[in-house]
Amino acid sequence: MSELDEKQSVLYAQMSNLVKLVLPSVEVDLREITHNFSKLSCNAHTICDEELRPLGTGLYPVVSIINHSCIPNAVLVFGGRIAVVRAVKPISKGAEIVISYIDTAAITMTRQNALKQYFFKCNCLRCTKDPLEELKEEAILEGYRCKDQKCFGFLFYEVENKAFACQVCGLRRDEYHINRIVNEVEELSAKAASFVSTGNPSEASLLYKKVEQLESKLFHPYSIKLLGTRETLLKILLELNDWREALTYCQLTIPVYQRLYQSPHPLLGLQYYTCGKLEWLLEQTEDALKSFTKAVEILRITHGTSTPFMKELFSKLEESRAEDYYCLSAHDGRMIET
């Protein structure tokens, strides 16, 4: 408790007082309740469905003793209320099983800040890499792109020139010009978010498309910021049943997911699954088959093979395979007839 920051301490105290208000007839020890909330926060897990959408919170004592790594060799998934830990790579006898407590798609500083609630500092290989490599990673994930749209170089800031220089081709981007685009992006993003909150997805999608276009010229192609905008657009377009546009943005996220998440990772598998469903709806059978196949290759490791979700995925894979075979057969028949 002594290591809690002031914000957490106040939150737990407020929650303890709420318990006392809800249960006035029960004599409660506020300090004990505060301790229990702290223990729950540090040890509980977010229960998700098989598509990793949060459903609630659960305390699993055995799972809670599994340590964290930003390069995990196992994943935690749920089947209803049952927590399942699955290996995602070969684990040698005597080696420690580790999972990730946080979303690892972030730079080291962000990951370490997210882990503060667990009161430890991660010392995995990813968190202790060479400082120059760390700077490069930060420049790619949170920095700006090269002025040459064909160059994938990362930019470092030059104080003397007040500009960002590409470390691959040497081209510079003026700081003033970049700040002007950043301000425009922030203004448009705020307006778009307000349309989302007021239930106007059509207007929100138009503004987020403008944001995405600006960010594509501003941020590195593997930028987390750009990825977040595309994910938001994907969600809104799915809500609008705009399958074609949704597929465009879903496909743009795949290379970034591949870089951010080591395979097999459930989020990468689920993104392939989303692509496959959209391609299937748009009658792009051959592409859907490829996406479903990649989804199965990953998710059969992270999710197993016996759940209703996986059975549905296997069914979609077989259906797309049969449809693809039929299309090829019909095409070959026409070629012979011709």
Side-chain angles (χ1 to χ4, degrees):
M1 292 298 294
S2 62
E3 294 182 49
L4 287 176
D5 61 35
E6 184 179 353
K7 186 177 179 180
Q8 285 177 302
S9 299
V10 170
L11 176 62
Y12 295 147
Q14 290 172 336
M15 292 167 71
S16 301
N17 280 314
L18 182 60
V19 171
K20 190 172 183 178
L21 288 172
V22 173
L23 303 172
S25 60
V26 179
E27 187 174 337
V28 296
D29 183 331
L30 291 181
R31 183 174 176 80
E32 182 184 359
I33 296 294
T34 301
H35 281 206
N36 286 337
F37 275 128
S38 181
K39 291 175 184 177
L40 183 68
S41 174
C42 200
N43 291 283
H45 292 88
T46 300
I47 299 172
C48 299
D49 65 12
E50 290 177 303
E51 294 190 58
L52 302 187
R53 293 176 295 223
L55 299 175
T57 301
L59 186 60
Y60 298 83
V62 175
V63 179
S64 293
I65 65 173
I66 300 176
N67 282 328
H68 162 89
S69 173
C70 297
I71 315 173
N73 56 20
V75 293
L76 173 63
V77 293
F78 292 88
R81 295 184 179 183
I82 305 298
V84 183
V85 178
R86 295 187 180 278
V88 293
K89 60 179 69 172
I91 302 175
S92 304
K93 182 178 180 180
E96 183 179 12
I97 295 170
V98 286
I99 61 176
S100 178
Y101 295 179
I102 57 171
D103 185 357
T104 56
I107 63 172
T108 301
M109 184 184 297
T110 302
R111 298 196 309 275
Q112 295 290 3
N113 286 334
L115 289 168
K116 283 182 178 178
Q117 64 173 306
Y118 302 109
F119 306 101
F120 72 88
K121 183 177 181 180
C122 182
N123 291 308
C124 71
L125 291 175
R126 193 175 169 195
C127 289
T128 55
K129 59 176 174 282
D130 179 76
L132 185 59
E133 281 299 306
E134 183 60 40
L135 278 174
K136 177 181 175 181
E137 186 75 355
E138 289 180 13
I140 290 172
L141 298 185
E142 295 193 347
Y144 305 116
R145 73 169 303 147
C146 180
K147 193 174 182 179
D148 181 356
Q149 296 287 301
K150 295 179 181 180
C151 178
F152 267 52
F154 55 97
L155 278 59
F156 283 165
Y157 184 66
E158 295 179 338
V159 179
E160 65 277 11
N161 296 314
K162 292 186 178 180
F164 293 86
C166 178
Q167 302 304 297
V168 175
C169 69
L171 281 176
R172 290 188 176 90
R173 296 195 70 174
D174 181 73
E175 183 181 16
Y176 172 77
H177 177 68
I178 283 180
N179 288 337
R180 191 176 62 185
I181 301 175
V182 168
N183 291 333
E184 188 176 355
V185 164
E186 290 176 351
E187 184 179 335
L188 287 172
S189 297
K191 289 180 180 178
S194 68
F195 280 124
V196 171
S197 62
T198 55
N200 194 337
S202 296
E203 290 296 326
S205 70
L206 292 175
L207 284 177
Y208 273 123
K209 285 176 186 176
K210 291 181 181 178
V211 170
E212 192 272 343
Q213 289 172 359
L214 286 171
E215 289 183 342
S216 296
K217 298 175 182 178
L218 178 66
F219 296 121
H220 192 280
Y222 292 130
S223 160
I224 295 173
K225 179 78 173 177
L226 177 57
L227 174 65
T229 299
R230 287 171 173 168
E231 288 175 329
T232 300
L233 261 172
L234 172 59
K235 183 179 178 181
I236 293 171
L237 291 167
L238 288 173
E239 184 182 343
L240 293 170
N241 294 335
D242 189 342
W243 313 132
R244 194 168 300 281
E245 286 268 42
L247 177 59
T248 297
Y249 290 106
C250 190
Q251 289 172 333
L252 286 171
T253 67
I254 292 292
V256 190
Y257 271 62
Q258 289 172 328
R259 189 185 189 283
L260 292 174
Y261 300 109
Q262 59 171 359
S263 189
H265 193 286
L267 284 174
L268 176 58
L270 289 169
Q271 205 72 348
Y272 274 125
Y273 181 44
T274 300
C275 268
K277 288 190 290 186
L278 289 168
E279 288 158 345
W280 182 254
L281 284 167
L282 294 167
E283 299 183 350
Q284 299 177 14
T285 309
E286 186 177 353
D287 291 334
L289 176 58
K290 292 177 182 177
S291 295
F292 285 142
T293 300
K294 290 176 180 176
V296 165
E297 288 173 355
I298 295 170
L299 296 177
R300 72 186 306 155
I301 296 171
T302 62
H303 285 56
T305 57
S306 59
T307 64
F309 170 78
M310 287 304 297
K311 288 177 180 177
E312 180 185 349
L313 175 53
F314 287 133
S315 175
K316 288 184 182 297
L317 176 62
E318 289 307 313
E319 193 175 350
S320 61
R321 184 175 287 140
E323 179 69 22
D324 185 58
Y325 177 76
Y326 172 79
C327 291
L328 287 173
S329 299
H331 177 72
D332 289 343
R334 287 194 297 271
M335 289 291 289
I336 293 171
E337 187 178 333
T338 301

